[in-house]
Amino acid sequence: MGDIVWDSVRAYFPQRDDEPAIRGINLIEYTGDDEAELKQKVDALCQHLASVSGAAGKSFGYSVVYGAAEINKVWAMRKKAVGLLGNAEGSKRPVPFVEDTAVPPENLADFIMDFRRVLDEHELEYGMFGHVDAGVLHVRPALDMKDPEQEVMIRRITDEVVRLTQQYKGLLWGEHGKGVRSEYAPEFFGALYPELQRIKALFDPRNQMNPGKIATPVTQQGAELLKIDAVPTRGQQDRQIPAEVRDTYASAINCNGNGACYNYDPNDAMCSFLEGNP
């Protein structure tokens, strides 16, 4: 709510002083060629939401948005999810190491509850967003990767999430991010994994292209897949910088490196580090 994008959508998410901050938003979009039929579907959903609003903590309310211009404002807020998480204050940063889990949509609600339980038990703050219709969930627990004690959480959390995805008949990766987590590939591909190794051997018999990712070629005996806690991280590099220097250049340390600040739009604000250090 502290980002400028909130001003464009705040009217659709009204709050009272006695309500807690919004903890989650579910966006549902209807499209169609018949306006009357479209409105009928929206009204039916609203009636259902009105009947359960506030019941057992399911909902605090809902809003309806019509028209491409207004709808696009809401989707623009959703598209900024990664950037908004990246703007979190403090030394703990949202880290996408259990990103892109995917389970059958009918299992998603229970999966989310168990996922949250795992993170809560480790007393972690986190952001969740994704695609409910496809059962895909993007989760970014906040860790200070400069702290060796927090770095080991990568292994602990990932192993527990792997178990959960298998329990709910899902995948650790629903979209992308397979490479660095390749050590789990044999478990998830099962009987298909040896076939992947044969394909890898046909096109890369010397294991030169992205070695350690997805599959090892059958022609390379002893070749190993990447381990999630054996991959060099930025936190390991950052911790070599003295703390007082990190504090002085906090904006640079927290830069996520996506380069969005390098553009020609005069109305697009640069990050504070660049503004103060041309």
Side-chain angles (χ1 to χ4, degrees):
M1 294 180 184
D3 190 88
I4 192 171
V5 73
W6 186 251
D7 292 333
S8 65
V9 297
R10 68 166 63 245
Y12 298 122
F13 303 98
Q15 287 186 279
R16 297 191 303 266
D17 292 338
D18 59 340
E19 290 180 340
I22 292 177
R23 296 298 180 91
I25 296 172
N26 192 12
L27 303 178
I28 304 171
E29 184 175 24
Y30 284 92
T31 59
D33 296 322
D34 187 309
E35 185 174 355
E37 181 181 352
L38 181 68
K39 189 175 186 304
Q40 184 179 18
K41 291 180 179 179
V42 173
D43 290 343
L45 176 62
C46 290
Q47 291 175 16
H48 170 71
L49 293 175
S51 68
V52 300
S53 182
K58 290 182 178 179
S59 171
F60 292 106
Y62 64 89
S63 296
V64 180
V65 182
Y66 278 106
E70 295 303 306
I71 289 173
N72 286 337
K73 290 180 182 179
V74 178
W75 282 121
M77 175 190 68
R78 163 61 181 84
K79 290 179 180 179
K80 290 192 69 174
V82 173
L84 293 174
L85 282 176
N87 288 336
E89 296 181 358
S91 58
K92 294 182 179 181
R93 318 301 299 173
V95 184
F97 64 95
V98 282
E99 183 108 336
D100 293 332
T101 56
V103 299
E106 62 270 21
N107 296 341
L108 184 60
D110 290 337
F111 175 71
I112 288 176
M113 294 301 291
D114 280 346
F115 203 138
R116 294 184 64 181
R117 176 183 52 76
V118 167
L119 299 177
D120 291 341
E121 287 177 351
H122 289 282
E123 299 182 345
L124 293 176
E125 294 184 338
Y126 49 90
M128 283 186 170
F129 55 102
H131 320 281
V132 175
D133 58 328
V136 175
L137 199 63
H138 304 303
V139 183
R140 299 195 172 198
L143 297 172
D144 182 358
M145 293 295 287
K146 300 185 296 298
D147 182 353
E149 293 185 6
Q150 294 187 48
E151 184 182 11
V152 299
M153 298 291 287
I154 297 289
R155 164 68 62 186
R156 296 173 188 169
I157 299 296
T158 303
D159 283 345
E160 292 188 59
V161 172
V162 167
R163 179 185 58 79
L164 281 180
T165 55
Q166 292 173 329
Q167 175 185 336
Y168 287 101
K169 305 184 186 309
L171 293 170
L172 185 60
W173 44 71
E175 291 186 88
H176 33 73
K178 302 175 181 65
V180 174
R181 296 181 284 179
S182 291
E183 67 176 280
Y184 301 102
E187 295 180 57
F188 281 102
F189 285 108
L192 185 61
Y193 183 71
E195 300 303 321
L196 294 179
Q197 289 185 292
R198 294 187 183 95
I199 294 172
K200 173 76 169 175
L202 288 173
F203 291 94
D204 186 21
R206 297 181 180 179
N207 199 27
Q208 294 174 296
M209 296 184 288
N210 279 331
K213 293 186 177 181
I214 309 299
T216 57
V218 293
T219 51
Q220 287 280 316
Q221 296 297 324
E224 296 184 350
L225 294 170
L226 289 175
K227 305 292 185 184
I228 57 168
D229 47 7
V231 176
T233 66
R234 173 173 167 175
Q236 293 168 353
Q237 302 294 323
D238 287 347
R239 75 176 63 138
Q240 298 179 46
I241 303 172
E244 60 273 15
V245 177
R246 294 201 303 261
D247 292 341
T248 302
Y249 296 96
S251 295
I253 290 291
N254 293 331
C255 173
N256 63 17
N258 70 358
C261 52
Y262 293 102
N263 63 60
Y264 294 95
D265 185 351
N267 298 315
D268 193 6
M270 295 187 296
C271 75
S272 57
F273 174 71
L274 289 177
E275 287 174 347
N277 299 269

